[in-house]
DNA sequence: AAGTACTTCAACCGCGGAGTG
DNA sequence: CCACTCCGCGGTTGAAGTACT
């Protein structure tokens, strides 16, 4: 029989009912859960409400710089695989990341009058946006060790009204946030001289943890060896020539600059690149900057209304 | 102050895959 | 196999909030 099902925003009472039911019976089997709990909602709706909102470990508040960096990085690898990306951002939901991408990233692309998938926009992200994010993360980490991130409840947040769970202020040390980056994104202030140790890299790619900077991060970094100070594509250990075509497969971040072999000329071998001790800058990066200057009028016009106040660091 | 445009994000929808009988 | 149900994912919508004129 088809009982009348509710739709639209959830009420406090419905939230309470769902929370209490799951506290007593656990989650899963959503259709029967909805029925047994007496909720006039579809199982789907209950699942969504729980996973995206009521779940105790859902992380609220603004997307941090580190999370932004991660989203850009992971999206460049996996595209719109939101749930997969979300797995690497503890407490964030696929919905939230998807919303972030659509409202922020796609907006910027639109304002630049280019497609998010275009090379132009990807280069902008890779050579300007992401390095700048890294710089800001570094700056934040060195400027203060007491900076806190507070997860603020929104006006839609019912949870604080009826229980104590998840109402603690989330306080995160910036150094810890940096440690939470995946190990193939290394923030480093020095040169390319990280010591490669095979035993560190090994095949033990079993952990999804972001904490260990000396071990590969599962499927993200199968092709990487990671050291304390640098991340080196496996291809480059004994063979200087990249063997895959995905530019990001070979992207290395050292000294706050992205090194991306495949951004270079047709003869993209690693020998083409020069490293320095301040940061690793390749010829392409210079070329890109040069072309940016050449097109400064275009870019500045675009950039002028491209970034909101929060993003004004971009211009400096 | 009021009207309008824009932004955000919670929630919905359709689809495809997995499981089951 | 086939039919059916359930679940999870990605795309989309629209209400509420905010900014702008």
């Amino acid at each position: 029989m088809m009982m009348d099902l509710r739709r639209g925003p959830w009420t406090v009472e419905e939230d309470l009912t769902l929370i209490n039911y799951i506290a007593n019976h656990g989650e899963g089997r959503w259709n029967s859960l909805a029925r047994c709990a007496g909720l006039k909602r579809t199982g789907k709706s209950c699942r969504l409400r729980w996973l995206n909102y009521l779940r105790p470990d859902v992380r609220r508040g603004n997307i941090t710089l580190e999370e932004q960096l991660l989203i850009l990085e992971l999206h460049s690898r996996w595209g719109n695989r939101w749930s997969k990306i979300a797995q690497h951002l503890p407490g964030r939901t696929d919905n939230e990341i998807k919303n972030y991408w659509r409202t922020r990233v796609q907006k910027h692309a639109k304002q630049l009058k280019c497609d998010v998938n275009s090379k132009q926009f990807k280069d902008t992200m890779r050579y300007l946006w992401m390095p700048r994010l890294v710089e800001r993360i570094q700056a934040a980490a060195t400027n203060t060790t007491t900076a806190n991130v507070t997860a603020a409840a929104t006006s839609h947040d019912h949870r604080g009204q009826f229980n104590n769970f998840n109402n603690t202020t989330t306080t995160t040390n910036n150094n810890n946030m940096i440690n939470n980056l995946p190990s193939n994104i290394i923030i480093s202030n020095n040169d390319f001289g990280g010591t490669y140790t095979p035993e560190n890299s090994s095949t033990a790619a079993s952990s999804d943890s972001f904490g260990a900077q000396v071990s590969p991060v599962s499927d993200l970094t199968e092709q990487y060896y990671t050291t304390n100070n640098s991340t080196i594509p496996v291809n480059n250990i004994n063979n200087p020539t990249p063997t895959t075509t995905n530019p990001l497969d070979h992207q290395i971040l050292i000294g706050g600059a992205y090194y991306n072999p495949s951004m270079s000329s047709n003869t993209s071998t690693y020998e083409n690149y020069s490293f320095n001790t301040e940061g690793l800058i390749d010829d392409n990066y210079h070329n890109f900057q040069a072309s940016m200057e050449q097109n400064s009028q275009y870019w500045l016009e675009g950039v002028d209304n491209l970034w909101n106040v929060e993003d004004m660091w971009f211009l400096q």
Side-chain angles (χ1 to χ4, degrees):
Chain A
M1 120 184 139
M2 204 61 188
M3 62 191 292
D4 53 327
L5 291 172
R6 274 185 51 77
R7 295 183 55 205
W10 281 62
T11 65
V12 177
E13 289 74 24
E14 287 177 310
D15 281 348
L16 263 174
T17 302
L18 184 57
I19 288 167
N20 287 334
Y21 189 88
I22 289 177
N24 291 324
H25 302 90
E27 57 182 278
R29 307 175 309 283
W30 295 104
N31 282 337
S32 64
L33 182 153
R35 275 195 307 273
C36 297
L39 286 161
K40 293 183 166 121
R41 295 272 181 175
T42 64
K44 263 186 170 184
S45 182
C46 294
R47 174 184 168 272
L48 202 70
R49 183 63 177 171
W50 175 254
L51 292 179
N52 285 350
Y53 198 82
L54 297 173
R55 203 161 40 102
D57 54 337
V58 167
R59 181 180 157 94
R60 316 296 304 179
N62 294 335
I63 305 281
T64 65
L65 298 175
E66 291 78 7
E67 288 171 324
Q68 289 179 45
L69 182 61
L70 250 180
I71 291 169
L72 296 181
E73 165 73 14
L74 297 182
H75 187 276
S76 70
R77 293 174 184 279
W78 298 327
N80 298 354
R81 303 284 305 280
W82 306 118
S83 63
K84 188 170 183 177
I85 293 170
Q87 287 170 13
H88 293 270
L89 285 104
R92 298 296 187 184
T93 67
D94 54 352
N95 214 30
E96 199 170 10
I97 293 165
K98 182 170 57 183
N99 281 333
Y100 168 77
W101 185 266
R102 291 188 61 81
T103 60
R104 304 291 201 84
V105 181
Q106 286 197 343
K107 183 181 74 181
H108 291 334
K110 193 177 170 185
Q111 286 170 330
L112 269 178
K113 294 182 170 62
C114 61
D115 190 272
V116 273
N117 298 315
S118 68
K119 184 174 184 301
Q120 180 193 38
F121 188 70
K122 283 178 177 175
D123 286 351
T124 303
M125 281 204 302
R126 194 174 302 149
Y127 286 98
L128 292 173
W129 197 345
M130 293 170 78
R132 282 293 191 174
L133 276 171
V134 171
E135 285 173 15
R136 294 177 75 199
I137 292 166
Q138 282 182 305
T142 53
N143 284 348
T144 174
T145 57
T146 58
N148 294 333
V149 173
T150 301
T154 70
S155 58
H156 302 296
D157 199 331
H158 298 153
R159 293 168 304 173
Q161 297 172 15
F162 45 73
N163 64 29
N164 287 328
F165 84 103
N166 205 37
N167 68 348
T168 54
T169 300
T170 303
T171 303
T172 310
N173 183 290
N174 277 333
N175 290 321
N176 289 337
M177 293 196 287
I178 287 174
N179 287 337
N180 282 337
L181 289 169
S183 61
N184 67 328
I185 300 178
I186 302 297
I187 310 294
S188 170
N189 288 319
N190 60 17
D191 60 14
F192 192 52
T195 305
Y196 162 63
T197 52
E199 55 272 25
N200 281 343
S201 56
S202 79
T203 56
S206 58
S207 171
D208 268 343
S209 163
F210 296 160
Q213 293 203 342
V214 289
S215 62
V217 174
S218 63
D219 58 335
L220 258 188
T221 51
E222 282 164 6
Q223 68 274 57
Y224 289 93
Y225 289 95
T226 307
T227 71
N228 285 330
N229 294 317
S230 60
T231 303
I232 308 166
V234 170
N235 294 334
N236 197 31
I237 300 302
N238 295 314
N239 173 11
T241 305
T243 56
T244 67
T245 54
N246 179 356
L248 287 162
D249 283 349
H250 303 286
Q251 187 166 275
I252 310 168
L253 173 62
I254 297 168
Y258 275 89
Y259 164 60
N260 191 328
S262 64
M263 276 300 297
S264 78
S265 58
N266 298 330
T267 58
S268 58
T269 58
Y270 283 81
E271 298 94 286
N272 292 343
Y273 302 92
S274 59
F275 304 86
N276 64 39
T277 52
E278 273 71 50
L280 193 152
I281 313 278
D282 67 38
D283 289 343
N284 246 350
Y285 182 75
H286 289 305
N287 291 340
F288 181 76
Q289 285 196 315
S291 71
M292 289 288 283
E293 283 164 20
Q294 275 185 350
N295 298 314
S296 60
Q297 194 56 40
Y298 165 78
W299 282 99
L300 286 175
E301 279 172 4
V303 164
D304 252 350
N305 47 23
L306 174 60
W307 311 101
N308 57 30
V309 174
E310 164 66 14
D311 291 326
M312 285 308 283
W313 52 267
F314 178 84
L315 292 170
Q316 294 225 338

